[in-house]
Amino acid sequence: MTQTNTKAVDAAAVHAALNLQLANWSVLYAKLHQFHWLVKGPHFFTLHVKFEELYREAAARVDELAERVLATGGRPLSTMREFLAAATLQEGSGDESAIEMVRSVASDYRTLAQELGQAIADAEGAGDDATADLLLGIHESIEKHAWMLDAFASA
């Protein structure tokens, strides 16, 4: 394979990894919004605010990831159909208890963190340090979220 073809393959892998993240963050955004609306019980006031904080962050991640795909010459996924087909995260059912909601989101963050590890490796392998750096920052943030949500749900 020529160097030009290798770069194209590397860029395609980075675009695929970014689009997977884009799809998952889009599904997570909808799930967090759903949980924000439907949470009930003694943790309502705490979780209603927390889910709003997290869905706002998810919205920013969606924009950030889509813009990175475009900046690197790719085409971001942009429809709900594409997001749902590509995502590894699942939508919420709407029937979860407050603690089940927290556990579900924590699990989603752990899945994102695992997939980000591969995406970072793909970006580094392609020599795309800016994308690797962007993804590393996201990775650090969601590890903290998962830890905090796990701590909340274990009480």
Side-chain angles (χ1 to χ4, degrees):
M1 193 178 292
T2 67
Q3 185 176 6
T4 302
N5 288 342
T6 301
K7 285 185 180 185
V9 169
D10 291 345
V14 172
H15 294 149
L18 286 167
N19 271 319
L20 174 60
Q21 286 293 309
L22 178 58
N24 278 334
W25 280 98
S26 295
V27 170
L28 184 59
Y29 170 83
K31 179 190 265 187
L32 288 163
H33 225 133
Q34 177 191 46
F35 288 175
H36 168 76
W37 292 326
L38 300 180
V39 67
K40 295 178 183 168
H43 301 296
F44 171 81
F45 289 106
T46 300
L47 292 177
H48 184 74
V49 171
K50 186 63 174 178
F51 290 143
E52 181 176 0
E53 172 193 324
L54 295 175
Y55 79 65
R56 288 179 186 275
E57 178 184 61
R61 298 288 185 215
V62 166
D63 197 49
E64 186 175 44
L65 290 161
E67 288 175 354
R68 187 67 195 152
V69 174
L70 289 165
T72 59
R75 183 182 185 285
L77 301 178
S78 59
T79 68
M80 289 307 297
R81 181 173 307 172
E82 289 173 318
F83 297 147
L84 290 169
T88 56
L89 301 185
Q90 299 297 311
E91 295 179 293
S93 70
D95 296 323
E96 296 89 350
S97 70
I99 295 302
E100 288 169 337
M101 289 175 178
V102 171
R103 288 182 179 142
S104 177
V105 174
S107 175
D108 289 346
Y109 281 132
R110 286 190 298 276
T111 297
L112 287 168
Q114 179 184 357
E115 292 171 349
L116 275 165
Q118 181 59 52
I120 292 166
D122 290 344
E124 289 172 343
D128 186 347
D129 295 336
T131 297
D133 188 51
L134 167 70
L135 298 175
L136 182 60
I138 295 171
H139 190 272
E140 290 174 22
S141 173
I142 62 176
E143 281 184 326
K144 183 175 180 180
H145 287 321
W147 162 67
M148 294 176 95
L149 292 166
D150 284 337
F152 181 90
S154 69

